[in-house]
Each structure stands twice: as structure tokens, then as C-alpha cells.
Amino acid sequence: MTLPKDLMIQFTKSVLRKIEIHIAAPQPEQGGALLGPIGQPLISHLIPDPAARTTGASYFPSDQLTSKVQEMERHHNLEFKGIIHSHPGSLDRLSGPDEEALAEGLRINPHMDYFIAPIVTRKGFFSGALGEHELDLGQTKLSCYMGYNRGSRIEISPVPVQTVRAAMPDRPEPTTTLAPSAPASHSPSLAFSRFEQHLKQGVKHLNLVEDPRFFPLVQDGVDLRGSTVQVEGGLELLFMAGGGYPVAAPVLLATLEDGNTEQLQMPWSLEVPAAERLTRAMKDLLSGSGPYRKGYGVILGKSALTDNPERAAIAGWSGRFVAEDPAVIQAQVREGLFARSQGLLSQHIRQKRVLIAGAGSVGSYMAEQLVRQGVEQITLIDPDGVELANLNRSSYDLADVGRTKVDALACRLLNINPGVEITRSPLDLFDHDPETLASWIEAADLVIGTTDQPKAQQALNRYAHGLGTTALYVGLYDGAQGGEVLLVIPEKTPCYACAAATRQGFQEVSSSVDYGTGRVSGEMALVADIHHVASGAVKLALALLLPPEAEANLKAFVEPLLESGQTFLTFSMVPNYWFYPQLLGQVPGQFAYQSVCLTPEKSDTCPVCGAPEHRIDPRSIPLKAPAVTDLRAVLAEAS
């Protein structure tokens, strides 16, 4: 290719000001992308790249920059021109890695006639007048280099530059994200020709039955090339490619046999060779050999785990068309997940439902462990959102910060076992409709209270005991130095209120009890200590979920407790805690980790588990106090 001898790259003054601010002023190496009007050697826009990987001597563009470039081209009728970056000191020439990067830029953008790579450096102390390929930036300067294909090799050389006021109307800089679209030197006819060639390759690669049909389209005055592909099983794909192909992805509309049409997001990466991008995208969106159905899964190009879009949204799964039944894939995942616990408990507890109130450090851990062991029906209640402070001792990560705990935990559980059924409630326990809460608790085989509100534990106790549902109440004492698990089986054991009275008056555990360890100001707690108590609760929960006919060693974990009435499990994680020295002080080999099971006593006057004449229906007690406005309305009506 031969470039015009008088080629000169022009920079608008507004771009040079931005280069001074974003590239020249910070420490090297900084960089960004340069864009301008299609087909013109004019640089009118700079996209800084603050997310780039940089050192004092190297600059590596970020993936975010590619996305921003693509968005800018699509929506502002601009063209990607090249990459600018700064060098340390006065090194105003391309380095070896710079030349390799420039050549790579041409390779992955074959539609470009040339690729520019300006460098920003300090002015040397002994430097003379600026060359024709340089521009003055005050304390720094811009040196412009260009690469282009010349036969079988890439030519790299300085290119003349100049400043212009504005060769085009001012455009508002976009505030959204921004990928090369329709370069002027790359004519629409060439783009359409490539699109047809690449789509035929994709159809052949995927062994689709019918060849694509091509036809012209006009959308909002823009010429497009359309194509329909009929896929086995009644799936029709409609592609619409613009003049920016193959840099810009074609639009894809998919219509299933039922007549529903939806637009699919094409997975489009400029790092994939241009001739392979469309085939790769089609392969990612179509799994198997048909007939196809809509499904959702973890990884593009793989089998779908569900056909439920709501479940997929919770789990963060992307959509594609698959040949396999997601239920079959779920069964395969389940088989692999429980391969090493087969015969122990998973087949017995799949249909069991567990309600967990409180999704903090204890609740999130227990939910995860129960799902890993086979529980496939869970109700989660927690009003809080995930914060950074939760990450050091809960089942959450950075991607969850800002989400509700019930949504974040549901996402994690679905990505362990895609077959788990989850009911989520991001409300405080006291904000629920009593009948709804009662129906959830009555439907549960086990209620687990891990909230950080003693009043909430008491409310759960009233409902669970009154509705005949077995419950566990798990708590950590200050700083997780100790903890407890209270087992309550209606009509067999004392309720939570009676059992908790066992520890009343003990300074070590009653001064500031924190159930869930989420809200103790100034208290430090090791996650190992929290999980020590929570893992004991998990084992007890699994034992309680097993049916009487199950032959499993776990039953021996709970039966002695029930026979002896020792249903109040206490734990110590530090030496000489609470009453442990008096009880175990003379026993050799006793150090920090200790446990003792206590025998709580029932009060005959307890309104939950006492004599029948003292009991109160939990649904007759409001979950929360009436609002002032409600009281005023009642008084006004009475008067």
C-alpha cells in the first residue's frame, strides 16, 4: 500500500489540551485511544485509559479501553486511529516493544490504512527546534509515529503533524462507555463482502443445515447487510451488519418456533482474528447440534443450567441457545457434586426445606454448607446489604458489595448447585406479613435463627414452636470467644426462650450477645472461631433433616442429646472461659477449644412451650408495634 506523500495528521486543540491533562501531566507511562472523523487524518477525540496496566517504563491498554472505543465509534460516527502513551524522560522515539505493539495494532485492525502511535515526553535540555512530526505541549512535546502495511512488511516512520482549530462541529464528549466501527477507508461494500464470507464460514463450521440468505437493509438512513439463517428445530437467526464490520459486531435477532423474538448480545472480542470473530460468537451462542431451546449458563459455549430467566439473572448467567435439556445438565451437576457423599445423606435431604433468618457470617456459611451437602430448598431472610466489612468472615466477595445479602447468597448457592430452589426476602423479620411468615415456617423442615437481633430470635421461636417446626438458634458471644447452638423440637424440648434463660446472669455471655456477629461495635472475631460454632450447627442441622429410616452416622450425633435432654450446646474458643475451668479444670489435655452440652429446663408458665393454659398463638402477637399514625386513627375513630 502506498500512502499519500502529503499525508499530515491533524490534532484539534481540544484534544491537545486533554493530552496535556491526562497523558503529559501524570507520571509516565500513561496512555489512551485516539479517534477522529471517518476517513480523515484528524484526531478529534481522546479516551484516557486510567485502568491500564502501567509501570514507569511500560503501558498496556486495558480491556475497558477497547469497550469504550467500540461504543464511541458506534454512537458518534468516529473511527479509531491509534494509541498514544507517555515515555519517561526525553525518550521521544518508539521502543522495540512500542513497534511490536504498533504492528499488532495493524494486524488486529486490518481495515485500517495506517495506525498512529504518538509519544509524549519531556523536552530535552539541549533539544532544538521541533521536527515536523512533533507538537509543543508546554513542558512536554508530542512526537507522532505511524505504521502501515507495505507489501509483506510493516513500515514504521515519523509522520508530519499540525494543530487545527476545528475541522468538524464540536461534539459532546460521551459519558458512557465506549470499539472501532465503520472506518471511511474501509468501504461498506468491503465490510459487507467480509460479513458474507465470515457468516458462510460460521454456518459451515457449526454444520447448520441451510446456507444463509443475504439482502440489503436500510435502518435510519444507514445501509446495512442483512442475512437470515435457519437452524434445525425452528430457530431463525437474523444478522444485520453495518459498514464497521468486522470491527463492530453485527446485530443479532433470534426467533424461536413459538414466535418470540429477542436481541442477543454478540460476544465480540477484537483480540480474536477478524476472520474468526463471527464464527467464535456463533459457537458461543449455539451449544450442541440442535434442535435448540433458550437456556442460561455460566460459560458461553457450554451447556445451559436453566431455562428460567429469573433464576439466571440471580445467578449471573448469560443466555444462549442449547440442544440439551437444562434439567439433564442439572442432574449431571448434582451427580458430580454429591459423588463423594452418595449414600450418606444427599438423597435423603434433597426434598427438605430449610429457612434461614440472618445471612451474615453464620447464616451464609450454614446455607452454603447445607447446599453443598444436598439441601435443595432454602428460604433466606435478611434486610441488610453486603458491605466491605462483611467480606472477611462471610460467604461474599467484592462483586457482591452493594447487593442485598439474600441476592448475593442466592447467586453463590446457585453457582454451587443450579438445581437449588431459593425463596428470598430482603426484609426485616418484623416487616413481614404474619401469615406469610407463618406459611414459610410451617412449610420448612428446619428453621435456623442466626440473626443479630435477640428479639428476632424470640419471634422465630414463637412461630416455629407454635407451628410445630424444629429449630436451631446459633449465636456467638462477644468477640467469638464462645458460642452456642440451641436445639428446639416442639413438645420434646424446652423452647428457645426457656433454654436461653440458662445463661442469664453470666457476665461472660450476657453482656453483649451478638447473634451472627454482624453488629458488635469494636469487637474483633476470627472467622475460624465463628466457623467452629457454625460447623457444629451444620452437622446438627443435617442430622435433624435425616428421616428416621435413614442409616447414617450423623443420627448418632443428635440422638444422645435428645435422650439426655442436653440440647443447649456451648462452645469455648479461648482458655479459661465461662464455667469451663470449674468443670474441666482437672481433666488433662483441655486447652482453648472445648464444648459442653447443658440441660435447659422448661417453664410451665412459658407462653411458648409451657402448660396449654399459658400458651399464646404466635399469630395473635403483632410482629411490630403499630405506627403512630395508626394509633391516631384508632383514637380518632373511637372518639
Side-chain angles (χ1 to χ4, degrees), residues 571-587:
F571 298 84
S572 166
M573 277 72 81
V574 296
N576 303 315
Y577 188 70
W578 197 3
F579 60 82
Y580 285 82
Q582 289 79 14
L583 187 63
L584 302 174
Q586 303 304 314
V587 180

Side-chain angles (χ1 to χ4, degrees), residues 355-360 362-363 381-384 427-430 448-460 472-476 496 513-519:
L355 182 147
I356 299 179
V362 174
I381 299 175
D382 195 299
D384 294 336
L427 298 177
D428 189 281
L429 188 75
F430 300 106
I448 298 177
T450 62
T451 76
D452 55 7
Q453 303 176 66
K455 289 183 178 180
Q457 301 284 73
Q458 295 283 5
L460 280 175
L472 288 176
Y473 301 93
V474 190
L476 276 298
Y496 168 79
V513 178
D514 169 34
Y515 296 94
T517 73
R519 295 185 183 179

